[in-house]
Amino acid sequence: MIETRWPAFVGLVVGTAWLTSIVDTSFAFDKPTYAAIVCLTTLAVILLALGRFLPKGDTPTHKGHYLAVPLQETHANGAPRDHSPHPHHLPDDLAHQPSLRKLRILFVVLVLVICARAELLREIVANVQCSRGTWEPVVPLTVAIWDWISIRRRRRHQTELDDQTATIYDVWESRIMNSSYRYLVVVALVCFGSLGAIRAIGSPPSTHICTSSLPYSWYVPLAQYFGTALDCIIVFCIHGLLYTDEKGGTRGPSTRFSAVGWAFLFAAATLSTIACIYYYASDPDDRRKILSIPDVLFWGTTRLDIVVCLTVISALFCTYFIGAMSTSMVVMFVSVSVRTTSFAWNHTHPFPVGHVGLGFLAMCLTILGFAFYFHMGVTSETEEANARHLTFRKAPVWLYLAMLCLLAVQLCLWAVHKSSVGHHPIDLLMWEANTRHEAYVKQASASTTLEEAVRNYRQRYGRHPPPGFDHWYKYATDRGSIIIDDYDSIHRDLLPFYALSPEEIRDRTWRMIANPFNDASGISIRNGKAEISPNVMPTHRWMLDGIIEMIGHFAEWLPDMDLAFNMNDECRVAVPYEQIESMREAGRQFGELNSPVENTFTPQRGHEWKPFTEEPLNETPLIHRSFQRTFLEFGSVGCPPNSPARTKRHWDTSKICTSCTAPHSLGAFLSNWTKAADVCHQPDLADSHGFYLSPAAFKGAHELFPIFSQSKAHGFNDILYPSAWNYMDKAVYSPNDEFPDPPFAHKNTTLFWRGATSEGVSPGHGQWRGMTRQRMVALTSPESAANTPPQPLLLPSGKKQSYAALPAPLLARLLPASVRIVSTIHRCGGRDCPDQAAAFAPLADPTDFQSHWSYAHLLDLDGAGFSGRFLPFLASRSLPLKAALFREWWDDRLTAWLHFAPLDLRGQGLWATLAYFAGVEGRVRGRREEGERIAGAGREWAGQVLRKEDMEVYFFRLLLEWGRLTDGRRGEVGFGWGV
Ligand SMILES: *[C@@H]1O[C@H](CO)[C@@H](O)[C@H](O)[C@H]1NC(C)=O
Ligand SMILES: *[C@@H]1O[C@H](CO)[C@@H](O)[C@H](O)[C@H]1NC(C)=O
């Protein structure tokens, strides 16, 4: 038995470190009760199986010596005792030995408390955005206090050093080592050090909503305190069952471990029973949700289960040998060290704002305290007569070395941490944006003749231009299109379709349009005329009219074909990465530059398209996921299988996932707009956007169906086209006498936004608390400021600048913002309607769209799809600040930080960005001239490349390419002029 001591100790350290590193990103927390049942059952099975192998009878470990409760005082080295207990302690201690009855009580309490703990965990995880800093490090402290109360207080000093030769140091050491407070003091030191370190070094709070109008804003923190209290009780109970000897001391390790195993089994059974009752009490829709266990959840839980088993079994063995205090100390110390060290390692930059110096100090205390704890144990072992057992029989030199190493690493991390920046990140980003834009324009409009345009096309895409390219070129140049060469977004969208045969594309288009359920409408082009196909929803008629009008300008050069248009705002087609990559590869193979091609589409190709019958098609390739989470099933399937979006779940929404923001951020500011659209490194987006949380209308496919959409999120394979919304002036920039567009300097600096809760539907499970629109409103409204966590601002400090987290109420006073929901709460159900109404009160009155222009800073946010207001915002003299998941056809044309100010969807840099432009009185000089410059540059550039003519030119080229893709002789047609 005793030989398992070291493996158990190593297992404990490794297991705890491993668990700490995976627990924050485990899928298991999607269903905490399921995970709890799985873990408890596995643990129970292992423990009961172990019970068969462990020694049945009394072992020397606990027998015949110093029968007592003390946590640290028992002899555990397995060797026969060679000192007898101090006689006058024995009766006293014996009085505190648990009887069998006590053991039974411990057992029952353990079962109940584990169940209660699992239930609390479920509650906390369900509303985790309201959680506060953890108090778990106090668990060892409570054990130490209990230990002190029950034993040490009663024991007087037993050994006074009377050796005359002792130095002052020896006397003091002996005093300290024998003081009854010693463990208490040291454990307290470690606990408070750990608490301080965790508070000082950690992710900043997120903007997920936890308003005071909702009950969970107080009950989640309360549940956390309770949870910690229950953890203490669990530790006591396990200590009692495993470590303590009862009168007569007849329990062997086998009995002890089996007892704990049975307790786990009973707890698992109780939890399962509760889950069953809950299942039968809920309605059928919810039942299906309860039963569904997606693959990632299953594997995530399995993985967590393995690590939990390793850790818990090791912890139980350690408890058996060295008691609960030392075991919980080790667990706490290891997890805090891993947490703080890895965070400090990954965050050496000034953002996120952390109290790094304070954290380092706290870590020093923790390390010192921990080393002292073991030193004390070892020393007292040699000092004290009854040779307390200890964790380590011999002075563990390597332990001190490890501590020293840890201290050195922490010191280095503290030393290399930068806390201020020399230049404002936005200055750098604006400068860089200029360069990038110049490079873009240079390559996008290099061609000045058709011949050059053709040559450039071949070079870029490795194939001939589509038939009719000469007409397109003439059309584009006649309308003054600046962009001639760079149509990479068309290329990217169409590339995978080369893997499908023209027949297949035609068939899939037909299947998409023929069933009205699909919410896709068709447009047929025949003999140079575009027409709407039958069964169109009247509400969407304007959209198709707009498309027809746009196509009408160039339809005469288009081949006969049918097109399926997405009538919903949400994008549709997400082909898994494994398939789409090979399809793209097939696309890259297409094109033979040396073969001759014919500059006409196949004539008479109209009849190849299956006609639409009166009788609608009944089968559909689409999966209906309205009001449901879509991130795992659709949002991230386009990502590589080992990317964070597919392997990690950032379930703790109370904290910003800094590893998700880092790749596309510079400090608190968004630095790479393109990269920010890539969801593969951003698993936390699953909880941060209405489209992923609960879209209003989502009918998606995993097969590559050809559908034209106005906007799409990363990973979707819809084909982007210029939205009819903008083409038909559904939202238009037209200042008038009543609502003029004054020069930038005369505008009100308030950040302005008005909109509806239409990003997604919140049918009653609180989804709205994560949606971007709602979060931005809560973040900026003075009413909810009291519940908003402090937000970072970059403030000048001397010659440099450093981040400071300012309380939200102060920010709301310093920086003007008017970001509000208009008139009523839409798209909600159940308690989410009144909850939102309370959280966002007072709702704003509707305003005229043209009133926007009196504000200098216009916030732009996604709706259910792209934001239709952005182009008018851009055309105005105001500065748009845009946060978006969806990307549109123009995404390559605009440059963030040159034409508009980009914001992260999480909102962490919103105040800091606004402060840069608007200024903070007495602290930050407002850079209004920079704001004006960006507003002007955006306006000017949009006036050149985002005109209605540019939409037509883009659409024309897109449809020529599409015409070739759907042509039966795809490889033989093309614009081969000049070969
Ligand atoms: C932004 O990210 C994209 C895609 O990852 C990358 O190609 C590009 O170079 C990045 N731009 C900058 C300025 O870092
Ligand atoms: C700016 O707009 C806000 C919100 O509409 C308003 O309260 C404020 O008075 C305006 N400030 C000025 C200087 O007009």
Side-chain angles (χ1 to χ4, degrees), residues 147-267:
D147 169 63
W148 177 66
I149 290 175
S150 60
I151 301 165
R152 297 185 200 285
R153 201 184 29 142
R154 281 192 303 277
R155 295 180 57 211
R156 300 278 84 81
H157 291 274
Q158 38 184 333
T159 42
E160 273 299 339
L161 215 66
D162 16 280
D163 188 350
Q164 293 304 314
T165 61
T167 62
I168 288 276
Y169 171 78
D170 290 337
V171 172
W172 272 101
E173 188 178 20
S174 149
R175 285 236 174 113
I176 292 171
M177 289 312 160
N178 290 310
S179 144
S180 59
Y181 301 101
R182 60 183 203 267
Y183 282 112
L184 198 56
V185 170
V186 173
V187 176
L189 190 71
V190 179
C191 283
F192 291 118
S194 304
L195 277 175
I198 290 183
R199 294 283 190 285
I201 310 173
S203 295
S206 76
T207 54
H208 280 249
I209 299 170
C210 175
T211 60
S212 55
S213 58
L214 306 171
Y216 39 75
S217 64
W218 56 266
Y219 89 58
V220 169
L222 202 66
Q224 285 183 286
Y225 295 132
F226 262 120
T228 306
L230 294 186
D231 284 340
C232 296
I233 300 178
I234 292 176
V235 171
F236 289 142
C237 293
I238 290 184
H239 177 82
L241 286 176
L242 275 184
Y243 185 73
T244 341
D245 297 307
E246 65 277 13
K247 268 196 203 101
T250 52
R251 289 191 306 142
S254 165
T255 336
R256 289 163 194 256
F257 281 91
S258 302
V260 178
W262 282 112
F264 286 166
L265 198 63
F266 274 106

Side-chain angles (χ1 to χ4, degrees), residues 419-432:
S419 56
S420 59
V421 288
H423 295 278
H424 198 294
I426 295 186
D427 288 333
L428 299 177
L429 293 170
M430 287 192 308
W431 178 78
E432 202 185 74

Side-chain angles (χ1 to χ4, degrees), residues 388-604:
R388 328 264 89 131
H389 119 343
L390 282 177
T391 317
F392 302 101
R393 290 284 296 159
K394 301 199 184 72
V397 176
W398 59 264
L399 182 83
Y400 296 118
L401 281 181
M403 298 290 129
L404 219 58
C405 270
L406 187 60
L407 202 63
V409 170
Q410 290 273 347
L411 181 69
C412 292
L413 289 174
W414 173 68
V416 300
H417 187 276
K418 289 194 272 303
S419 56
S420 59
V421 288
H423 295 278
H424 198 294
I426 295 186
D427 288 333
L428 299 177
L429 293 170
M430 287 192 308
W431 178 78
E432 202 185 74
N434 246 332
T435 328
R436 233 165 337 117
H437 173 66
E438 274 162 27
Y440 170 80
V441 176
K442 204 163 157 231
Q443 53 86 40
S445 46
S447 307
T448 50
T449 62
L450 176 59
E451 196 172 350
E452 272 172 20
V454 171
R455 194 172 337 114
N456 264 322
Y457 184 104
R458 292 194 185 127
Q459 236 168 38
R460 256 171 204 272
Y461 308 124
R463 53 177 188 252
H464 295 294
F469 190 73
D470 44 346
H471 297 300
W472 176 83
Y473 182 80
K474 182 162 184 324
Y475 191 89
T477 45
D478 281 355
R479 278 154 189 77
S481 170
I482 296 180
I483 312 293
I484 295 293
D485 298 314
D486 189 328
Y487 285 84
D488 290 0
S489 51
I490 295 181
H491 174 73
R492 284 195 300 268
D493 287 352
L494 300 190
L495 198 58
F497 286 96
Y498 284 99
L500 302 180
S501 69
E503 295 78 35
E504 225 163 342
I505 296 182
R506 287 196 290 265
D507 178 58
R508 290 186 183 194
T509 303
W510 184 84
R511 280 163 62 197
M512 205 66 187
I513 305 170
N515 185 349
F517 166 85
N518 294 346
D519 294 340
S521 293
I523 285 192
S524 304
I525 299 169
R526 294 289 182 279
N527 306 320
K529 284 234 157 21
E531 270 177 13
I532 304 178
S533 3
N535 4 327
V536 174
M537 289 179 281
T539 45
H540 291 106
R541 183 83 202 185
W542 66 267
M543 210 159 136
L544 292 162
D545 286 339
I547 296 169
I548 294 275
E549 194 177 322
M550 228 185 307
I551 297 181
H553 291 281
F554 47 82
E556 54 184 301
W557 295 294
L558 296 180
D560 290 356
M561 57 185 168
D562 294 340
L563 307 166
F565 285 90
N566 180 3
M567 291 291 105
N568 294 339
D569 291 324
E570 294 85 354
C571 38
R572 298 300 195 84
V573 182
V575 183
Y577 178 86
E578 293 81 354
Q579 293 157 36
I580 199 75
E581 271 310 299
S582 61
M583 296 179 99
R584 289 207 181 102
E585 198 43 50
R588 283 183 207 109
Q589 302 304 325
F590 175 82
E592 185 55 61
L593 282 177
N594 298 321
S595 65
V597 283
E598 225 177 287
N599 187 20
T600 59
F601 293 102
T602 305
Q604 306 299 320

Side-chain angles (χ1 to χ4, degrees), residues 748 750 752 818 855:
N748 186 335
T750 300
F752 189 76
S818 176
Y855 298 94

